[in-house]
Amino acid sequence: MKCTKCGGKAVVPIKRHNAAFCAEHFFEYFENQVERAIKEHRMFRRGDKILVAVSGGKDSLAVWDVLLRMGYEAHGLYIDLGIGEYSQRSKEKVLKFAEQRGATLRVVSIEEEFGLGTPEFARKAGRPACSACGLNKRYLFNREALRGGYDVIVTGHNLDDEAATLLGNILNWNVGYLARQSPVLEATAPNLVKKAKPLYRLTEREIASYCVLRGIDYIVEECPMAKGAKSIEYKYLLNQLEELSPGAKARFFFGFLEKGRPHFEAEQEKVEVRPCQVCGQPTTAEVCAHCRMLQRVGAAAAP
Ligand code: AMP
Ligand code: ZN
Ligand code: ZN
Protein backbone atom coordinates (compact mmCIF):
# COMPACT_ATOMS: atom_id res chain seq x y z
CA MET A 1 0.00 0.00 0.00
CA LYS A 2 1.51 3.30 -1.17
CA CYS A 3 0.84 6.86 -0.03
CA THR A 4 -1.46 8.59 -2.53
CA LYS A 5 0.56 11.79 -2.11
CA CYS A 6 4.22 10.76 -2.11
CA GLY A 7 4.34 7.08 -3.11
CA GLY A 8 6.06 6.20 0.19
CA LYS A 9 4.82 3.45 2.49
CA ALA A 10 1.23 4.18 3.50
CA VAL A 11 0.10 3.51 7.07
CA VAL A 12 -3.54 4.69 6.99
CA PRO A 13 -5.91 3.55 4.23
CA ILE A 14 -8.99 5.75 3.69
CA LYS A 15 -11.39 3.74 1.59
CA ARG A 16 -14.10 6.33 1.20
CA HIS A 17 -11.58 8.69 -0.46
CA ASN A 18 -9.92 5.86 -2.35
CA ALA A 19 -6.69 6.97 -0.73
CA ALA A 20 -3.95 5.88 1.65
CA PHE A 21 -1.40 8.04 3.42
CA CYS A 22 2.00 7.88 5.07
CA ALA A 23 2.09 9.41 8.57
CA GLU A 24 3.16 12.85 7.34
CA HIS A 25 0.45 13.07 4.67
CA PHE A 26 -2.15 11.60 6.97
CA PHE A 27 -1.49 14.48 9.41
CA GLU A 28 -1.85 16.89 6.50
CA TYR A 29 -5.16 15.26 5.48
CA PHE A 30 -6.38 15.36 9.09
CA GLU A 31 -5.58 19.05 9.55
CA ASN A 32 -7.16 19.86 6.18
CA GLN A 33 -10.42 18.22 7.22
CA VAL A 34 -10.39 20.15 10.51
CA GLU A 35 -9.55 23.41 8.73
CA ARG A 36 -12.38 22.83 6.27
CA ALA A 37 -14.87 22.17 9.09
CA ILE A 38 -13.80 25.35 10.90
CA LYS A 39 -14.01 27.53 7.77
CA GLU A 40 -17.21 26.12 6.25
CA HIS A 41 -19.15 26.54 9.47
CA ARG A 42 -17.36 29.67 10.72
CA MET A 43 -16.61 27.89 13.98
CA PHE A 44 -13.97 30.31 15.26
CA ARG A 45 -11.08 32.46 14.14
CA ARG A 46 -7.51 32.91 15.14
CA GLY A 47 -7.38 34.95 18.33
CA ASP A 48 -10.68 33.54 19.63
CA LYS A 49 -10.54 31.98 23.08
CA ILE A 50 -11.47 28.30 22.74
CA LEU A 51 -12.53 25.94 25.53
CA VAL A 52 -12.10 22.27 24.56
CA ALA A 53 -14.23 19.86 26.60
CA VAL A 54 -11.89 16.91 27.14
CA SER A 55 -13.00 13.54 28.46
CA GLY A 56 -9.65 11.71 28.20
CA GLY A 57 -10.96 9.75 25.19
CA LYS A 58 -9.37 9.78 21.74
CA ASP A 59 -11.68 12.32 20.11
CA SER A 60 -11.42 15.19 22.54
CA LEU A 61 -7.66 14.76 23.08
CA ALA A 62 -7.15 14.64 19.30
CA VAL A 63 -9.12 17.82 18.72
CA TRP A 64 -7.27 19.61 21.50
CA ASP A 65 -3.94 18.42 20.05
CA VAL A 66 -4.72 19.48 16.50
CA LEU A 67 -6.03 22.93 17.52
CA LEU A 68 -2.89 23.59 19.58
CA ARG A 69 -0.72 22.51 16.64
CA MET A 70 -2.67 24.80 14.31
CA GLY A 71 -1.85 27.69 16.65
CA TYR A 72 -5.25 28.29 18.25
CA GLU A 73 -5.60 29.52 21.81
CA ALA A 74 -7.26 26.37 23.15
CA HIS A 75 -7.68 25.59 26.86
CA GLY A 76 -9.08 22.31 28.19
CA LEU A 77 -12.05 21.65 30.47
CA TYR A 78 -12.26 18.29 32.22
CA ILE A 79 -15.34 17.32 34.18
CA ASP A 80 -14.75 14.69 36.82
CA LEU A 81 -18.04 12.79 36.68
CA GLY A 82 -17.33 10.72 39.80
CA ILE A 83 -17.74 7.38 37.99
CA GLY A 84 -15.29 5.32 40.05
CA GLU A 85 -12.06 4.13 38.48
CA TYR A 86 -13.18 5.14 35.02
CA SER A 87 -13.14 8.80 36.06
CA GLN A 88 -9.83 8.37 37.86
CA ARG A 89 -8.13 6.90 34.83
CA SER A 90 -9.57 9.37 32.35
CA LYS A 91 -8.52 12.28 34.55
CA GLU A 92 -4.95 10.99 34.65
CA LYS A 93 -4.85 10.91 30.84
CA VAL A 94 -6.07 14.48 30.57
CA LEU A 95 -3.68 15.79 33.25
CA LYS A 96 -0.74 14.08 31.57
CA PHE A 97 -1.68 15.45 28.14
CA ALA A 98 -1.96 19.02 29.47
CA GLU A 99 1.27 18.76 31.41
CA GLN A 100 3.25 17.44 28.43
CA ARG A 101 2.16 20.42 26.34
CA GLY A 102 2.10 23.08 29.04
CA ALA A 103 -1.57 23.63 28.11
CA THR A 104 -4.10 25.33 30.38
CA LEU A 105 -6.67 23.00 31.93
CA ARG A 106 -9.76 23.72 34.04
CA VAL A 107 -11.06 20.85 36.18
CA VAL A 108 -14.55 20.70 37.66
CA SER A 109 -15.88 17.87 39.82
CA ILE A 110 -19.54 16.81 39.87
CA GLU A 111 -19.16 15.58 43.45
CA GLU A 112 -17.79 18.93 44.60
CA GLU A 113 -20.39 20.87 42.62
CA PHE A 114 -23.51 18.87 43.42
CA GLY A 115 -22.52 16.68 46.35
CA LEU A 116 -22.91 13.33 44.52
CA GLY A 117 -21.13 11.33 41.83
CA THR A 118 -22.98 10.58 38.60
CA PRO A 119 -24.38 7.10 39.51
CA GLU A 120 -26.06 8.26 42.76
CA PHE A 121 -26.97 11.60 41.23
CA ALA A 122 -28.84 9.91 38.36
CA ARG A 123 -30.63 7.55 40.75
CA LYS A 124 -31.82 10.42 42.90
CA ALA A 125 -32.82 12.43 39.85
CA GLY A 126 -34.88 9.48 38.58
CA ARG A 127 -33.29 9.74 35.16
CA PRO A 128 -31.22 7.40 33.00
CA ALA A 129 -27.54 8.01 33.84
CA CYS A 130 -26.63 9.33 30.38
CA SER A 131 -29.46 11.83 30.45
CA ALA A 132 -28.60 13.23 33.92
CA CYS A 133 -24.91 13.25 33.05
CA GLY A 134 -25.57 14.99 29.74
CA LEU A 135 -27.57 17.74 31.44
CA ASN A 136 -24.80 18.25 34.03
CA LYS A 137 -22.10 18.39 31.37
CA ARG A 138 -23.96 20.81 29.12
CA TYR A 139 -24.68 23.08 32.08
CA LEU A 140 -21.05 23.06 33.28
CA PHE A 141 -19.56 23.50 29.78
CA ASN A 142 -21.60 26.65 29.36
CA ARG A 143 -21.02 27.94 32.89
CA GLU A 144 -17.25 27.44 32.74
CA ALA A 145 -17.04 29.04 29.29
CA LEU A 146 -18.96 32.08 30.58
CA ARG A 147 -16.81 32.33 33.70
CA GLY A 148 -13.58 32.10 31.71
CA GLY A 149 -14.71 34.49 28.98
CA TYR A 150 -14.40 31.91 26.17
CA ASP A 151 -15.79 32.57 22.68
CA VAL A 152 -16.60 28.97 21.87
CA ILE A 153 -16.84 25.48 23.39
CA VAL A 154 -15.36 22.68 21.31
CA THR A 155 -16.29 19.01 21.71
CA GLY A 156 -14.74 15.91 20.15
CA HIS A 157 -17.85 14.66 18.28
CA ASN A 158 -16.82 12.79 15.13
CA LEU A 159 -18.51 11.58 11.94
CA ASP A 160 -19.55 8.29 13.54
CA ASP A 161 -21.18 10.14 16.45
CA GLU A 162 -23.03 12.53 14.18
CA ALA A 163 -24.19 9.83 11.75
CA ALA A 164 -25.42 7.67 14.66
CA THR A 165 -27.29 10.60 16.20
CA LEU A 166 -28.82 11.39 12.83
CA LEU A 167 -29.95 7.80 12.36
CA GLY A 168 -31.56 7.85 15.82
CA ASN A 169 -33.27 11.16 15.13
CA ILE A 170 -34.63 9.88 11.82
CA LEU A 171 -35.79 6.52 13.17
CA ASN A 172 -37.81 8.41 15.76
CA TRP A 173 -38.57 11.43 13.57
CA ASN A 174 -37.39 13.87 16.21
CA VAL A 175 -37.97 16.86 13.96
CA GLY A 176 -36.91 19.37 16.62
CA TYR A 177 -33.55 17.66 17.01
CA LEU A 178 -33.18 17.30 13.23
CA ALA A 179 -33.55 21.07 12.91
CA ARG A 180 -30.78 21.64 15.43
CA GLN A 181 -28.28 18.87 14.67
CA SER A 182 -25.30 20.79 13.35
CA PRO A 183 -21.49 21.02 13.55
CA VAL A 184 -21.96 24.46 15.06
CA LEU A 185 -24.57 25.90 17.42
CA GLU A 186 -24.57 29.67 17.53
CA ALA A 187 -24.89 31.67 20.74
CA THR A 188 -28.48 32.64 20.02
CA ALA A 189 -29.34 33.88 23.53
CA PRO A 190 -27.61 35.86 26.27
CA ASN A 191 -25.49 33.67 28.56
CA LEU A 192 -25.24 31.00 25.88
CA VAL A 193 -21.79 30.17 24.49
CA LYS A 194 -21.33 29.00 20.89
CA LYS A 195 -20.52 25.29 20.39
CA ALA A 196 -18.48 23.65 17.65
CA LYS A 197 -17.46 20.14 16.54
CA PRO A 198 -14.32 20.46 14.40
CA LEU A 199 -13.90 16.66 13.99
CA TYR A 200 -17.27 16.04 12.39
CA ARG A 201 -15.64 15.24 9.00
CA LEU A 202 -13.37 12.53 10.48
CA THR A 203 -14.24 8.96 11.44
CA GLU A 204 -13.54 7.23 14.72
CA ARG A 205 -10.98 5.02 12.99
CA GLU A 206 -9.14 8.01 11.53
CA ILE A 207 -9.07 9.72 14.92
CA ALA A 208 -7.75 6.60 16.64
CA SER A 209 -5.02 6.40 13.96
CA TYR A 210 -4.20 10.05 14.59
CA CYS A 211 -3.76 9.42 18.32
CA VAL A 212 -1.60 6.36 17.79
CA LEU A 213 0.67 8.11 15.25
CA ARG A 214 0.96 11.23 17.43
CA GLY A 215 1.62 9.16 20.57
CA ILE A 216 -1.46 10.50 22.36
CA ASP A 217 -2.28 8.26 25.33
CA TYR A 218 -6.07 8.10 25.72
CA ILE A 219 -8.56 6.05 27.70
CA VAL A 220 -9.78 3.23 25.46
CA GLU A 221 -12.64 1.91 27.58
CA GLU A 222 -16.09 3.38 27.12
CA CYS A 223 -17.92 4.89 30.06
CA PRO A 224 -19.28 1.92 32.10
CA MET A 225 -22.63 3.70 32.48
CA ALA A 226 -23.14 3.93 28.70
CA LYS A 227 -23.30 0.13 28.23
CA GLY A 228 -26.22 -0.86 26.05
CA ALA A 229 -26.73 2.67 24.71
CA LYS A 230 -28.62 2.83 21.43
CA SER A 231 -25.88 4.94 19.84
CA ILE A 232 -23.50 1.95 20.08
CA GLU A 233 -25.93 -0.21 18.07
CA TYR A 234 -26.43 2.52 15.48
CA LYS A 235 -22.67 2.88 15.06
CA TYR A 236 -22.38 -0.86 14.54
CA LEU A 237 -25.09 -0.82 11.87
CA LEU A 238 -23.57 2.18 10.11
CA ASN A 239 -20.20 0.43 10.04
CA GLN A 240 -21.84 -2.60 8.39
CA LEU A 241 -23.26 -0.24 5.78
CA GLU A 242 -19.89 1.43 5.32
CA GLU A 243 -18.33 -1.98 4.61
CA LEU A 244 -20.83 -2.61 1.83
CA SER A 245 -20.61 0.90 0.48
CA PRO A 246 -17.55 2.95 1.47
CA GLY A 247 -18.49 6.59 2.01
CA ALA A 248 -22.07 5.81 3.05
CA LYS A 249 -21.61 7.38 6.48
CA ALA A 250 -20.23 10.62 5.06
CA ARG A 251 -22.89 10.81 2.34
CA PHE A 252 -25.59 10.23 4.93
CA PHE A 253 -24.46 12.98 7.29
CA PHE A 254 -23.00 15.55 4.87
CA GLY A 255 -26.04 15.10 2.61
CA PHE A 256 -28.30 15.76 5.57
CA LEU A 257 -26.45 19.00 6.40
CA GLU A 258 -26.66 20.21 2.84
CA LYS A 259 -30.06 19.00 1.69
CA GLY A 260 -32.07 17.77 4.67
CA ARG A 261 -31.50 20.02 7.62
CA PRO A 262 -32.54 23.31 5.92
CA HIS A 263 -36.08 21.91 5.50
CA PHE A 264 -36.38 20.98 9.17
CA GLU A 265 -34.92 24.30 10.21
CA ALA A 266 -37.43 26.24 8.11
CA GLU A 267 -40.30 24.30 9.71
CA GLN A 268 -39.17 25.09 13.24
CA GLU A 269 -41.44 27.36 15.24
CA LYS A 270 -39.55 30.08 16.99
CA VAL A 271 -39.48 29.50 20.73
CA GLU A 272 -38.90 32.26 23.17
CA VAL A 273 -36.00 31.79 25.57
CA ARG A 274 -35.32 33.73 28.73
CA PRO A 275 -32.79 33.54 31.56
CA CYS A 276 -33.44 30.80 34.14
CA GLN A 277 -34.60 32.40 37.40
CA VAL A 278 -32.08 30.33 39.35
CA CYS A 279 -28.91 30.11 37.26
CA GLY A 280 -29.39 32.66 34.47
CA GLN A 281 -28.71 30.24 31.63
CA PRO A 282 -31.22 30.41 28.76
CA THR A 283 -34.37 28.28 29.01
CA THR A 284 -37.91 28.15 27.61
CA ALA A 285 -39.32 27.64 31.13
CA GLU A 286 -39.06 29.77 34.27
CA VAL A 287 -36.49 27.45 35.80
CA CYS A 288 -34.19 25.49 33.47
CA ALA A 289 -34.20 21.68 33.22
CA HIS A 290 -30.84 21.49 34.97
CA CYS A 291 -31.91 23.55 37.96
CA ARG A 292 -35.16 21.54 38.23
CA MET A 293 -33.10 18.36 38.27
CA LEU A 294 -30.88 19.80 41.04
CA GLN A 295 -33.96 20.66 43.07
CA ARG A 296 -35.18 17.07 42.72
CA VAL A 297 -31.81 15.68 43.77
CA GLY A 298 -31.70 18.09 46.67
CA ALA A 299 -28.30 19.40 45.66
CA ALA A 300 -27.45 23.00 46.28
CA ALA A 301 -28.41 24.82 43.09
CA ALA A 302 -25.26 26.45 41.85
CA PRO A 303 -25.98 30.08 40.98
P1 AMP B 1 -19.83 11.72 24.81
O1 AMP B 1 -21.16 12.35 25.04
O2 AMP B 1 -19.29 10.98 25.98
O3 AMP B 1 -19.73 10.99 23.51
O4 AMP B 1 -18.82 12.94 24.64
C1 AMP B 1 -18.95 13.88 23.64
C2 AMP B 1 -17.97 15.00 23.86
O5 AMP B 1 -18.24 15.66 25.09
C3 AMP B 1 -16.51 14.54 23.99
O6 AMP B 1 -15.91 14.45 22.72
C4 AMP B 1 -15.91 15.64 24.81
O7 AMP B 1 -15.59 16.76 24.00
C5 AMP B 1 -17.04 16.03 25.74
N1 AMP B 1 -16.96 15.33 27.05
C6 AMP B 1 -17.46 14.11 27.37
N2 AMP B 1 -17.19 13.79 28.65
C7 AMP B 1 -16.50 14.83 29.16
C8 AMP B 1 -15.93 15.12 30.46
N3 AMP B 1 -16.03 14.26 31.46
N4 AMP B 1 -15.30 16.31 30.63
C9 AMP B 1 -15.21 17.19 29.61
N5 AMP B 1 -15.71 16.96 28.38
C10 AMP B 1 -16.36 15.82 28.15
ZN1 ZN C 1 3.11 10.49 1.86
ZN1 ZN D 1 -31.05 27.11 35.73
Side-chain angles (χ1 to χ4, degrees):
M1 193 171 58
K2 285 190 174 157
C3 172
T4 312
K5 269 263 168 108
C6 70
K9 188 175 172 352
V11 288
V12 189
I14 301 181
K15 257 195 183 166
R16 78 192 141 100
H17 291 304
N18 225 343
F21 297 115
C22 67
E24 183 194 335
H25 289 115
F26 174 66
F27 294 147
E28 187 181 280
Y29 158 81
F30 197 92
E31 281 195 22
N32 283 341
Q33 294 299 320
V34 172
E35 182 87 31
R36 188 167 163 194
I38 296 170
K39 291 261 156 65
E40 268 182 24
H41 294 272
R42 295 194 182 86
M43 290 182 175
F44 39 79
R45 287 186 297 201
R46 237 154 262 285
D48 280 352
K49 267 188 84 177
I50 302 168
L51 186 62
V52 184
V54 277
S55 63
K58 62 185 184 325
D59 307 303
S60 48
L61 288 178
V63 74
W64 196 9
D65 180 85
V66 75
L67 293 181
L68 288 172
R69 283 176 190 278
M70 290 165 88
Y72 287 101
E73 188 185 348
H75 297 175
L77 168 64
Y78 174 75
I79 299 183
D80 185 336
L81 300 165
I83 306 176
E85 279 190 20
Y86 168 77
S87 288
Q88 287 264 309
R89 278 200 292 276
S90 59
K91 188 176 175 181
E92 279 163 23
K93 305 283 186 201
V94 175
L95 289 175
K96 193 170 103 192
F97 177 99
E99 195 184 33
Q100 282 172 344
R101 288 157 183 79
T104 304
L105 175 68
R106 300 167 81 92
V107 178
V108 176
S109 146
I110 294 278
E111 271 167 7
E112 279 170 32
E113 291 288 333
F114 309 129
L116 295 166
T118 298
E120 307 89 277
F121 186 103
R123 210 174 314 121
K124 274 205 164 178
R127 275 178 182 261
C130 294
S131 137
C133 179
L135 261 181
N136 278 337
K137 279 190 288 195
R138 240 171 302 146
Y139 170 80
L140 291 170
F141 290 170
N142 197 64
R143 192 193 75 183
E144 290 303 302
L146 284 172
R147 285 190 179 169
Y150 291 92
D151 298 293
V152 59
I153 299 160
V154 157
T155 56
H157 291 96
N158 57 44
L159 180 56
D160 295 67
D161 295 324
E162 295 303 302
T165 302
L166 176 60
L167 183 58
N169 284 338
I170 289 178
L171 289 173
N172 298 299
W173 290 112
N174 290 326
V175 289
Y177 290 151
L178 286 166
R180 283 193 301 273
Q181 198 190 338
S182 167
V184 61
L185 291 172
E186 297 294 337
T188 49
N191 288 337
L192 185 67
V193 181
K194 183 175 179 175
K195 293 197 184 65
K197 304 169 182 173
L199 297 188
Y200 86 89
R201 306 187 60 84
L202 292 154
T203 63
E204 242 163 43
R205 222 202 70 211
E206 288 158 18
I207 296 164
S209 300
Y210 181 86
C211 288
V212 171
L213 293 171
R214 285 278 190 220
I216 298 172
D217 182 21
Y218 61 91
I219 182 154
V220 177
E221 68 193 90
E222 296 278 343
C223 173
M225 310 218 64
K227 284 214 175 80
K230 279 271 181 297
S231 58
I232 298 174
E233 287 168 28
Y234 295 157
K235 280 182 183 176
Y236 172 78
L237 291 170
L238 286 163
N239 279 333
Q240 304 273 88
L241 202 59
E242 185 75 21
E243 275 291 309
L244 293 173
S245 169
K249 232 184 273 178
R251 284 196 302 279
F252 180 51
F253 186 59
F254 300 168
F256 162 73
L257 290 180
E258 204 184 310
K259 297 171 197 159
R261 186 172 173 268
H263 295 283
F264 294 104
E265 209 179 6
E267 290 292 305
Q268 260 315 77
E269 280 171 36
K270 229 180 137 32
V271 286
E272 213 174 302
V273 292
R274 50 191 152 174
C276 164
Q277 285 184 353
V278 181
C279 72
Q281 289 198 18
T283 173
T284 51
E286 303 231 313
V287 173
C288 77
H290 186 257
C291 287
R292 276 181 278 143
M293 176 171 76
L294 287 185
Q295 284 165 0
R296 214 167 314 128
V297 171

